[in-house]
Amino acid sequence: RAGDLYPMAFAETLAAQEQEVTESHRHMEFEIETRNSAGAPQHFLALRFPVFNDDNEMVGIGALHTDNTARKNAEEELAQQKNILEAVFEHMEPGVVLYDKDDRIAACNPSYIEQTGLPDGDTAIGMSNFEVISYLARKGQYGPGEPDEIAARVYANARQGGMNEHSMDERVDGRIIDN
């Protein structure tokens, strides 16, 4: 009996899982959290599966348990670091935009949206660099002239310099955008 090997709460969890597999005749995965002898959380991934004989009768339940405490701890640490990074990114004064390998906005902070006048961040996500430049050219941010020609020129200049090269754009309103 599981209660002879494990703490009662853990044994009851195992019994409930076995009952679920018995009734469904399907394999199931479960995550189990318990405490080790020192009282620290311990996480297991448990796989329970029915075992059938040659007549396709269920004759038992197989089980595999994997201690994934280290993975769970790493996931929690990563989630905390991600939350900190997101908070810093969201509250940075400089506008920050990140483009993906396809030259589309993957992320941008509220300051970037405010500084460029782009639609809200959710709308901006996925816009190509050329679409951003075209949008800004239509708003007159690169000065007077035909917006499509200006956008093509600004985009070509940006591409010619390479995405990793430092450049600065002066906008009509006098702001300097450090790229």
Side-chain angles (χ1 to χ4, degrees):
R1 285 184 17 166
D4 295 337
L5 298 173
Y6 303 108
M8 190 50 74
F10 188 70
E12 288 171 356
T13 299
L14 296 177
Q17 292 171 354
E18 289 176 1
Q19 183 65 33
E20 197 171 340
V21 171
T22 300
E23 291 171 2
S24 71
H25 285 217
R26 294 181 310 126
H27 77 277
M28 297 187 169
E29 274 187 29
F30 306 93
E31 287 196 21
I32 303 169
E33 182 178 339
T34 186
R35 301 236 171 237
N36 64 19
S37 59
Q42 198 167 11
H43 302 272
F44 291 93
L45 178 63
L47 175 65
R48 298 267 191 269
F49 52 93
V51 177
F52 297 97
N53 65 15
D54 291 339
D55 296 326
N56 207 27
E57 297 171 318
M58 189 171 144
V59 294
I61 296 175
L64 297 171
H65 287 191
T66 302
D67 184 345
N68 62 353
T69 303
R71 190 196 88 212
K72 278 291 202 184
N73 291 343
E75 287 173 354
E76 289 172 8
E77 176 67 26
L78 185 60
Q80 288 174 352
Q81 291 175 2
K82 179 180 179 262
N83 290 339
I84 291 168
L85 184 59
E86 283 177 351
V88 168
F89 183 73
E90 289 294 314
H91 295 93
M92 289 177 73
E93 188 174 322
V96 178
V97 62
L98 303 171
Y99 286 93
D100 64 17
K101 65 179 177 53
D102 298 320
D103 204 23
R104 296 193 168 278
I105 295 178
C108 60
N109 68 357
S111 293
Y112 177 78
I113 297 300
E114 182 182 324
Q115 291 167 8
T116 60
L118 286 172
D120 68 66
D122 290 336
T123 304
I125 300 298
M127 287 179 74
S128 71
N129 192 9
F130 184 76
E131 290 169 329
V132 171
I133 292 169
S134 295
Y135 178 86
L136 296 174
R138 285 192 304 278
K139 288 184 61 178
Q141 291 296 313
Y142 295 107
E146 201 285 309
D148 290 338
E149 290 176 12
I150 293 170
R153 180 176 35 83
V154 170
Y155 184 73
N157 287 341
R159 297 302 296 168
Q160 188 176 24
M163 295 305 285
N164 294 324
E165 190 161 309
H166 183 262
S167 66
M168 297 175 85
D169 291 329
E170 184 171 354
R171 300 289 166 81
V172 173
D173 62 6
R175 289 183 297 153
I176 304 290
I177 305 299
D178 192 0
N179 297 313

